[in-house]
Amino acid sequence: MPFLGTTLNTVGLLFLTHAVYSAHEHTATFTHAALPLDVTFELLVSIAMLSAGIVLSSPDLKPIQWSQWAAKIERGGRHGEGKWTREGEELLSEGDPYAFLGLDKGIGGKGEGRRGFWDVRGKRKEYAEWAREGAK
Amino acid sequence: MATANLLTPPTTITPPTALALSQKAPLILASPPTSTLPWPLSLLFTRETPESWTIHENLLLAALRTGDDATARSLLDRLTARFGGTNERIVALRGIYEEALAGSDAELEKVFEGYEKVLKEDATNFGVRKRRVAVLKSLGRVGDAITALTVLVENSPTDAEAWAELGELYAVAGAWGQAIFCLEEVLLYMPNAWSAHAQLATLHYLSAPASLPALALALRHFSRAVELNSSSLRGLYGLKLIAQKLIPLLPQSQSQSQSVSKRNNNNNNPTDDDDLPPPNLSTVQKLEEIATSKLAEIVRLYTAGKSGWTGFDEAEVQAARELLGKAER
């Protein structure tokens, strides 16, 4: 689909440019004559192709129902979308907007929610223990 | 699948993931995002983006977790140079750094006193007030932490994060009534949060695992979690579990159930929710069927590795599989 969309956009743009150029040339040369039919036809075809191409190459629509949108996030998890920041970190797709409440791992869960209350010493101790066991 | 991404770190960071995150430090440290040119030029040729600073902050936390204090120090210096030492967020981050470096409880008390000093100057710094609670929790003074948090939510009652933390502290202490109240406050501000509904249902269930009104409330909230997120694994798991426990407790016909609810009303129940009649037996059975089929679908497609279904937590899917297996036997 993206290939078809890009092709239609490219060809449509070429036709549009050509049609506009032809129309300009024609009016410059024959000031009082009507525009030939083929130029009008080319213009209309190029616009139809461009419209189709833009629709085809647009990103997928999001589910408009809350439960389906949330289900899509929950099922698919976060995945890369082919864009990176300057530091080399990939931009991920939309995630759970309520993850900051830190409630998704249950009571006493080891999630990363509630960053304001981040328990730095606990996490440090957990890592140090893991490193010690790994060194053994 | 937990990829180490500094811009959006995973929701659970295991020690190996933390190590992978902090190992990205040399690359980030090698190229400062701010420009060294004089003022008007620095605006034109800057390489910084909003993401740069999120990455710096996440890397700082990862470095502190893995004990890479030198890296943490230089990241903190960079953030301070950019946003100034009095920025609320920077003050809290510096606090986290000092907490991490505190070797003993006495040193941690010193950090705590530093927070008190900051708050004496500006009591509206909620980042620091939250750090203060975190230090109290870290010192093992859970009672003091709860008191500090109740003051915090009194001053800022719309802070859902603080209500959630207070609910967690109460739940860990076994004060179910207070924990349920806190989660209801969270729902007041975030009525669409499916995880909060699931958590509230869990609390109702744990507060009285064999009483009909508590189980009915748990069923209602798990149903709401599934309504808000039709693939909510925790919601579906809870729905099935509660429905299984509820079915033997429910009266067989509608007339009996009405008499039960009347009896409940006569008992002077403290909360309004208990006045609701218990759900119909047939409704609960239908809910259980729906939960079972959806759980089976999730387990099957996750195990098959179908694309778009692999975002679940491995352990949670395993738990769902065991619940389904138990029901078959």
Side-chain angles (χ1 to χ4, degrees):
Chain A
M1 230 26 140
F3 178 72
L4 183 62
T6 319
T7 319
L8 276 175
N9 279 341
T10 319
V11 177
L13 266 178
L14 280 176
F15 278 160
L16 183 68
T17 320
H18 186 250
V20 169
Y21 178 76
S22 310
H24 179 260
E25 280 296 284
H26 182 84
T27 44
T29 328
F30 315 101
T31 324
H32 297 293
L35 206 60
L37 196 63
D38 59 344
V39 177
T40 318
F41 186 68
E42 189 184 13
L43 190 76
L44 290 178
V45 166
S46 71
I47 286 177
M49 283 172 95
L50 264 179
S51 308
I54 289 168
V55 170
L56 281 177
S57 57
S58 62
D60 287 342
L61 298 177
K62 279 186 192 176
I64 57 168
Q65 279 179 343
W66 180 282
S67 70
Q68 285 175 15
W69 164 77
K72 195 178 165 197
I73 290 174
E74 172 113 6
R75 282 201 306 259
R78 308 191 80 165
H79 46 84
E81 289 184 323
K83 279 185 192 161
W84 280 266
T85 66
R86 200 179 56 80
E87 287 84 358
E89 298 301 324
E90 193 167 18
L91 299 178
L92 298 189
S93 62
E94 198 177 16
D96 179 1
Y98 299 108
F100 79 97
L101 288 174
L103 296 173
D104 42 358
K105 298 290 166 201
I107 299 157
K110 283 191 176 163
E112 290 296 310
R114 295 200 292 274
R115 282 275 286 272
F117 300 97
W118 199 63
D119 177 17
V120 56
R121 289 174 90 218
K123 308 272 184 194
R124 220 171 142 91
K125 207 181 279 171
E126 184 195 0
Y127 179 83
E129 270 163 25
W130 173 79
R132 222 179 7 250
E133 275 168 28
K136 254 180 222 168
Chain B
M1 193 186 68
T3 46
N5 188 315
L6 278 175
L7 187 60
T8 37
T11 46
T12 37
I13 300 183
T14 53
T17 318
L19 182 64
L21 283 174
S22 71
Q23 276 170 346
K24 293 187 178 184
L27 195 72
I28 309 285
L29 284 178
S31 59
T34 42
S35 175
T36 48
L37 292 164
W39 170 62
L41 292 174
S42 66
L43 290 177
L44 294 172
F45 297 102
T46 181
R47 285 178 299 171
E48 71 173 290
T49 53
E51 288 87 21
S52 326
W53 300 112
T54 314
I55 288 170
H56 273 73
E57 198 183 303
N58 287 329
L59 183 61
L60 169 64
L61 298 185
L64 285 178
R65 184 193 289 246
T66 51
D68 188 356
D69 300 329
T71 303
R73 182 76 240 182
S74 46
L75 286 167
L76 187 63
D77 288 343
R78 206 180 262 183
L79 282 162
T80 313
R82 174 66 181 78
F83 297 102
T86 50
N87 182 298
E88 290 191 2
R89 205 157 169 148
I90 302 296
V91 173
L93 282 177
R94 199 186 310 126
I96 293 179
Y97 173 77
E98 281 162 8
E99 278 173 47
L101 259 64
S104 61
D105 281 1
E107 283 177 49
L108 201 58
E109 296 274 7
K110 221 172 275 171
V111 179
F112 183 75
E113 278 157 28
Y115 287 154
E116 299 278 283
K117 210 180 285 170
V118 172
L119 289 178
K120 211 166 273 173
E121 282 165 23
D122 178 15
T124 60
N125 190 337
F126 277 89
V128 169
R129 290 181 77 164
K130 287 181 178 179
R131 287 319 307 163
R132 201 171 148 263
V133 174
V135 171
L136 285 173
K137 217 172 91 178
S138 182
L139 283 168
R141 287 155 61 182
V142 180
D144 289 342
I146 288 177
T147 316
L149 254 180
T150 45
V151 176
L152 198 153
V153 292
E154 205 169 290
N155 293 338
S156 167
T158 53
D159 191 338
E161 188 192 23
W163 278 114
E165 177 75 10
L166 186 56
E168 166 96 15
L169 287 181
Y170 274 131
V172 169
W176 303 116
Q178 284 88 336
I180 287 169
F181 178 84
C182 293
L183 259 294
E184 280 170 354
E185 290 292 323
V186 173
L187 282 184
L188 211 55
Y189 307 116
M190 314 248 146
N192 285 348
W194 55 89
S195 53
H197 276 287
Q199 179 87 346
L200 183 53
T202 314
L203 289 172
H204 274 301
Y205 169 56
L206 289 174
S207 67
S211 97
L212 183 58
L215 283 180
L217 277 173
L219 187 83
R220 282 197 182 96
H221 283 290
F222 274 129
S223 304
R224 178 72 78 198
V226 174
E227 189 188 0
L228 288 167
N229 177 351
S230 55
S231 285
S232 159
L233 189 54
R234 188 174 168 201
L236 290 167
Y237 184 95
L239 194 60
K240 182 165 167 60
L241 186 77
I242 302 292
Q244 278 175 353
K245 307 233 170 206
L246 204 54
I247 286 170
L249 292 178
L250 281 174
Q252 288 301 316
S253 69
Q254 188 59 40
S255 61
Q256 272 172 309
S257 85
Q258 272 162 2
S259 72
V260 166
S261 71
K262 233 174 249 164
R263 205 170 60 226
N264 278 351
N265 282 347
N266 294 342
N267 282 352
N268 288 336
N269 279 312
T271 59
D272 300 333
D273 288 337
D274 289 343
D275 292 346
L276 293 167
N280 257 342
L281 184 62
S282 59
T283 318
V284 178
Q285 279 166 340
K286 257 183 231 158
L287 282 175
E288 200 212 340
E289 272 169 33
I290 293 171
T292 310
S293 65
K294 284 207 146 196
L295 275 180
E297 188 190 20
I298 288 176
V299 168
R300 185 164 49 82
L301 291 173
Y302 176 82
T303 318
K306 193 168 188 284
S307 81
W309 287 81
T310 48
F312 295 104
D313 187 16
E314 175 79 52
E316 286 177 12
V317 174
Q318 182 59 33
R321 197 179 288 136
E322 276 164 23
L323 184 76
L324 288 171
K326 221 182 279 170
E328 273 168 26
R329 254 179 270 135

